[in-house]
Amino acid sequence: MPQQGGAGRDIAPATGKLGVMLVGLGAVSTTFIAGVENVRRGTALPIGSLTQMGTIRLGKRTDHRAPKIKEFLPLADLKDLAFTAWDPIPDDAYTAARKAGVLEPHHLEPIADFLKGITPLPAAFDRNYVKRLNGTHVKNAPTKRELAEELRQDIRDFKQRSGADRLVMIWAASTEVFLTPGPAHQSLAAFERAMECNDPAIAPSMLYAYAALMENVPFANGAPNLTVDIPALERLAEERRLPIGGKDFKTGQTMMKTVLAPAFKARMLGLAGWYSTNILGNRDGEVLDDPESFKTKEESKLGVLEYILQPDQYPELYGNVFHKVRINYYPPRGDNKEGWDNIDIFGWLGYPMQIKVDFLCRDSILAAPIVLDLALYFDLAQRARLSGIQEWLSFYFKSPQTAPGLYPEHDLFIQQTKLKNTLRWLKGEEQITHLGIEYYEKA
Ligand SMILES: NC(=O)c1ccc[n+]([C@@H]2O[C@H](COP(=O)([O-])OP(=O)(O)OC[C@H]3O[C@@H](n4cnc5c(N)ncnc54)[C@H](O)[C@@H]3O)[C@@H](O)[C@H]2O)c1
């Protein structure tokens, strides 16, 4: 029974199928799809997915109420997910997964027929925005507006073909070159005019986001591109009561950064420098080898420390931090990235200390459960009539989108509290404040 938490929100039931539309059918997307299919067939566990493995504490610690999140909320069931994707490379999901080299044959061969049935739709792709890719499986139209209309048609066709009741779209495509918000992004009218005259300010990712919103489909951005983080599309989402969010899945090195930096700040330990470097050999690494795509990623990776450490409030501790991030394309490693961090901290009376982190991770293994959770939570958000930016899902992003004038929360555990409190609020359950005085001061 809900306890003193307010009325909760009416949430439409998750009846029928949920169609997941992925932009990009590369390493992350195929690892996600193949993973879901393995889980559905009972051959693997959805490790790393909060929606599938996580529980949520309700009420007081002495109440011992901690249901699984997927039992607490009406999330779509994995058996009800259907998939499609766009990609400028025509490989089906099986071929793309083999080329990505993330999953081993025992996770791919038994589901080969299923994966071969997922063939990408021709992409709205422009090499000016992803310089290291040569896509051939692309849409051709005289204007960006017409490309967006073709994407809208793809959405309607997929809905009909798959029999899906609801859809979500997630950008898991390559990182586009760095763009900053300009006049074309300020209003829907300016955005639509810019699409008509092929304004370079309109990147392909924006066409997908626009098409999704015009078709009443929630949109989440897993890469650091600007995409839906512009006033024109934010307003469109609000007007059409659709959830949006981004940017850039928070997986390896940045996830660790948003765990360690809050610990230093909590203990008032100073920071002199943080040097982060990566070696990565997959297609994402190759795309990021282009300085313009790297710039987009660099901005996303650099932002987190500034917001967590608040140098304005703690100038003696964080007023002079040297923060450097490198990504080096190194083909032998494939998707098995290695991220090194050298962290120079200082303590009592200013004495220096060092911390080294060497994270031998697997990029797509970390990203796949995030795609799953985002698909399920964005669908939930739409059924709960949450619209516009979904800041409660910042837990999943390196550069969380926020309302204008609001700085983002990067601390992973603040983000987790925000997420879980939002789930409690949706169901009319009490918020957990961690005060706990009632266990000691009994009336
Ligand atoms: N894996 C992680 O840990 C992680 C973390 C954060 C962000 N990301 C981002 O997720 C994205 C996907 O990563 P990945 O490892 O799967 O990369 P990938 O290169 O394997 O796959 C990306 C796919 O997108 C396709 N693509 C490019 N432009 C497109 C367009 N306009 N329309 C449709 N498809 C397009 C490419 O052809 C490619 O197949 C990248 O932008 C990456 O930076 C990944």
Side-chain angles (χ1 to χ4, degrees):
M1 280 290 287
Q3 297 181 353
Q4 303 163 12
R9 198 85 178 210
D10 282 334
I11 307 174
T15 40
K17 281 195 203 168
L18 172 64
V20 183
M21 306 195 79
L22 298 156
V23 191
L25 189 58
V28 171
S29 293
T30 55
T31 306
F32 157 64
I33 296 172
V36 168
E37 186 61 7
N38 272 278
V39 173
R40 294 201 280 214
R41 295 188 189 195
T43 49
L45 287 175
I47 295 173
S49 161
L50 184 64
T51 59
Q52 303 306 299
M53 311 280 296
T55 61
I56 182 162
R57 180 188 133 198
L58 304 174
K60 299 197 184 314
R61 272 180 273 166
T62 43
D63 293 349
H64 300 291
R65 295 166 66 218
K68 280 200 152 186
I69 289 175
K70 66 178 183 182
E71 281 150 19
F72 177 56
L73 285 149
L75 296 175
D77 195 288
L78 296 198
K79 73 174 175 9
D80 295 325
L81 300 190
F83 307 100
T84 193
W86 290 269
D87 205 292
I89 297 169
D91 295 338
D92 62 53
Y94 173 78
T95 310
R98 289 299 300 260
K99 284 191 186 167
V102 178
L103 297 179
E104 292 182 8
H106 70 277
H107 283 131
L108 294 177
E109 295 311 323
I111 61 165
D113 288 344
F114 169 78
L115 293 173
K116 285 178 187 165
I118 301 170
T119 50
L121 301 159
F125 176 75
D126 181 340
R127 216 177 159 188
N128 289 317
Y129 299 84
V130 184
K131 303 235 156 96
R132 295 286 157 97
L133 270 191
N134 192 9
T136 52
H137 185 57
V138 298
K139 296 188 190 306
N140 289 305
T143 68
K144 295 185 178 187
R145 176 109 201 209
E146 284 159 273
L147 283 176
E149 291 307 321
E150 288 187 28
L151 292 171
R152 291 183 63 181
Q153 188 61 47
D154 286 346
I155 297 172
R156 293 192 288 268
D157 290 348
F158 172 64
K159 190 161 188 202
Q160 203 181 29
R161 194 170 66 240
S162 65
D165 289 78
R166 308 171 316 280
L167 301 174
V168 291
M169 192 188 295
I170 299 182
W171 176 274
S174 311
T175 301
E176 295 176 329
V177 298
F178 187 65
L179 292 177
T180 45
H185 305 132
Q186 298 309 313
S187 69
L188 188 61
F191 184 89
E192 289 180 333
R193 266 196 312 278
M195 282 197 295
E196 272 152 27
C197 63
N198 290 334
D199 187 331
I202 307 295
S205 62
M206 294 173 188
L207 302 180
Y208 288 94
Y210 171 81
L213 298 178
M214 294 303 285
E215 294 300 321
N216 295 321
V217 177
F219 183 92
N221 179 14
N225 339 300
L226 206 52
T227 312
V228 78
D229 194 1
I230 52 174
L233 296 182
E234 283 172 9
R235 245 168 267 142
L236 182 62
E238 278 158 21
E239 275 162 26
R240 301 182 70 94
R241 301 199 62 77
L242 290 163
I244 53 167
K247 308 182 296 240
D248 207 5
F249 302 131
K250 180 155 87 171
T251 49
Q253 191 169 58
T254 308
M255 179 185 71
M256 296 307 292
K257 208 168 262 182
T258 62
V259 170
L260 291 172
F264 305 150
K265 187 169 135 202
R267 286 293 169 94
M268 291 286 106
L269 293 169
L271 183 70
W274 198 314
Y275 179 76
S276 302
T277 188
N278 298 272
I279 54 173
L280 174 66
N282 59 14
R283 194 188 289 145
D284 187 32
E286 193 176 354
V287 167
L288 294 172
D289 210 34
D290 170 53
E292 290 184 70
S293 285
F294 175 68
K295 168 105 176 109
T296 313
K297 192 60 122 182
E298 187 183 28
E299 292 280 318
S300 173
K301 279 177 163 269
L302 282 176
V304 302
L305 284 188
E306 176 92 8
Y307 287 112
I308 291 174
L309 298 175
Q310 298 177 295
D312 292 348
Q313 280 193 46
Y314 306 101
E316 307 97 321
L317 298 175
Y318 309 119
N320 190 21
V321 174
F322 190 90
H323 188 195
K324 187 91 190 157
V325 177
R326 310 292 316 149
I327 299 178
N328 298 298
Y329 177 51
Y330 179 62
R333 271 307 164 84
D335 200 70
N336 296 353
K337 181 161 90 178
E338 184 159 1
W340 285 279
D341 287 274
N342 169 73
I343 314 160
D344 285 290
I345 63 171
F346 53 91
W348 185 241
L349 313 180
Y351 283 80
M353 295 173 266
Q354 291 181 21
I355 299 173
K356 315 276 178 191
V357 180
D358 185 4
F359 192 1
L360 288 105
C361 65
R362 293 172 188 259
D363 246 12
S364 303
I365 293 295
L366 293 169
I370 294 186
V371 180
L372 172 60
D373 284 1
L374 287 172
L376 300 190
Y377 282 141
F378 270 84
D379 169 50
L380 176 79
Q382 186 174 28
R383 283 183 285 115
R385 290 171 298 101
L386 297 175
S387 54
I389 298 165
Q390 301 300 301
E391 202 201 330
W392 62 286
L393 295 173
S394 3
F395 181 63
Y396 294 105
F397 295 115
K398 281 204 236 339
S399 305
Q401 262 180 261
T402 49
L406 204 59
Y407 68 81
E409 291 289 2
H410 284 286
D411 176 329
L412 189 75
F413 297 103
I414 293 180
Q415 294 173 332
Q416 184 201 34
T417 304
K418 185 190 275 292
L419 189 158
K420 288 197 170 178
N421 270 338
T422 304
L423 300 181
R424 294 182 184 107
W425 168 80
L426 281 171
K427 292 281 285 180
E429 288 280 345
E430 216 179 328
Q431 298 293 293
I432 292 193
T433 64
H434 301 288
L435 175 63
I437 196 74
E438 68 278 17
Y439 300 118
Y440 299 93
E441 292 193 352
K442 301 196 168 64

